[in-house]
Amino acid sequence: MTRTDEKVRYLPESQGEDLTPVSAASGVENVLRMLEGRWKLVILFHLFGGKVLRFSDLERAIPAISQKMLIQQLRQMEADGIVRRIVHHQVPPKVEYRLTDWGQSLCPALDALLKWAASRGAFEDVPTSGDG
Amino acid sequence: MTRTDEKVRYLPESQGEDLTPVSAASGVENVLRMLEGRWKLVILFHLFGGKVLRFSDLERAIPAISQKMLIQQLRQMEADGIVRRIVHHQVPPKVEYRLTDWGQSLCPALDALLKWAASRGAFEDVPTSGDG
């Protein structure tokens, strides 16, 4: 059983940079920090697909989040360059949120993580029980 | 330049599962939880590439980690199915660590995250300053 061995690259090959285990780990860690907390990922997955949502749409889509927390999470994602806030100067003013192109392009990488998690059962040297 | 727009899938397409924003977010969150903490990523990147290391090799490779912490991190990664501990019954006993095939196959997904982070400058609608 050779499984996925041929498809899998075993070392990061990021743009000819000289990555050491430490610099690679710290690069991934920076990304994880941007996604930390339950809400940012939920917001991301609501906005993937080029969706443009008003604040009230997001509130409706994520009823468990408080208004204050939603504002805070969106601000952080905006500061990180993932979310774009678009203000339409009209009366009353309309504010919409969408992902930046960069934020949008995170989708395949997160998809790869989901696929990796889902592939666990296909590997024979992994115990089947995931929880412990 | 048109950037990566054509290469980028905008919605997760994980194995025909019915993913909602909430279930996708929680799936990614589970993965992030497995990688949490600085040391696990460093250990991972030391073991990627099919490397087989003894405990003392890992200690030498990551001098900043305490022995206790290294043991703990390796145990958690073993319980998560990412690391395999191989005991050679000899005198004195030899213990080696390597990634499971599944753990190994996480490499391309982490690489995708690194590439995503590095691609920031290529997107015009993202402010250049990343820190704030």
Side-chain angles (χ1 to χ4, degrees), chain A residues 1 3-5 7-15 17 19-29 31-32 34-38 41-42 45-46 48-51 61 78-82 84 99-121 123-127 129-132, chain B residues 3-5 7-15 17 19-29 31-32 34-38 41-43 45-46 48-51 61 78-82 84 99-121 123-127 129-132:
Chain A
M1 39 113 232
R3 284 192 305 267
T4 47
D5 294 35
K7 279 180 285 170
V8 167
R9 278 173 282 121
Y10 277 156
L11 284 171
E13 41 141 82
S14 290
Q15 285 105 320
E17 275 177 65
L19 279 179
T20 66
V22 170
S23 67
S26 119
V28 172
E29 211 197 343
V31 175
L32 302 196
M34 266 189 247
L35 308 176
E36 239 170 31
R38 179 68 182 268
L41 285 168
V42 174
F45 279 105
H46 273 292
F48 276 143
K51 291 212 202 76
E78 202 189 339
D80 282 336
I82 294 174
R84 204 163 64 186
L99 297 180
T100 60
D101 290 341
W102 185 57
Q104 195 76 263
S105 75
L106 179 55
C107 193
L110 295 189
D111 198 31
L113 288 179
L114 285 173
K115 283 186 172 149
W116 173 75
S119 75
R120 183 183 171 127
F123 291 91
E124 281 156 29
D125 64 346
V126 182
S129 131
D131 312 282
Chain B
R3 289 187 304 263
T4 47
D5 294 35
K7 282 180 284 170
V8 167
R9 282 173 278 122
Y10 277 156
L11 284 171
E13 41 142 80
S14 289
Q15 284 106 322
E17 275 177 66
L19 280 179
T20 65
V22 170
S23 66
S26 120
V28 172
E29 213 196 342
V31 175
L32 302 196
M34 267 189 245
L35 307 177
E36 239 169 33
R38 179 67 182 268
L41 286 167
V42 175
I43 293 168
F45 279 105
H46 272 292
F48 277 142
K51 290 214 201 77
E78 203 188 339
D80 283 336
I82 293 173
R84 203 163 65 186
L99 297 181
T100 61
D101 290 341
W102 185 56
Q104 195 77 261
S105 74
L106 180 54
C107 193
L110 295 190
D111 197 30
L113 288 180
L114 284 174
K115 283 186 173 151
W116 174 74
S119 74
R120 182 183 171 129
F123 291 91
E124 281 156 29
D125 64 346
V126 181
S129 133
D131 312 282

Side-chain angles (χ1 to χ4, degrees), chain B residues 48-99:
Chain B
F48 277 142
K51 290 214 201 77
V52 182
L53 296 180
R54 298 176 68 159
F55 188 83
S56 55
D57 296 328
L58 281 165
E59 274 189 303
R60 237 189 319 267
I62 317 172
I65 196 173
S66 71
Q67 198 174 70
K68 191 179 154 191
M69 178 63 85
L70 181 56
I71 291 170
Q72 193 193 60
Q73 302 285 290
L74 286 167
R75 281 209 186 129
Q76 284 175 15
M77 293 171 85
E78 203 188 339
D80 283 336
I82 293 173
V83 159
R84 203 163 65 186
R85 183 171 181 269
I86 304 149
V87 182
H88 299 276
H89 296 285
Q90 58 186 52
V91 185
K94 193 169 105 179
V95 180
E96 290 176 328
Y97 294 88
R98 52 172 297 159
L99 297 181

Side-chain angles (χ1 to χ4, degrees), chain A residues 85-95:
Chain A
R85 184 172 181 269
I86 304 149
V87 182
H88 299 275
H89 296 284
Q90 57 186 52
V91 185
K94 192 168 106 178
V95 181

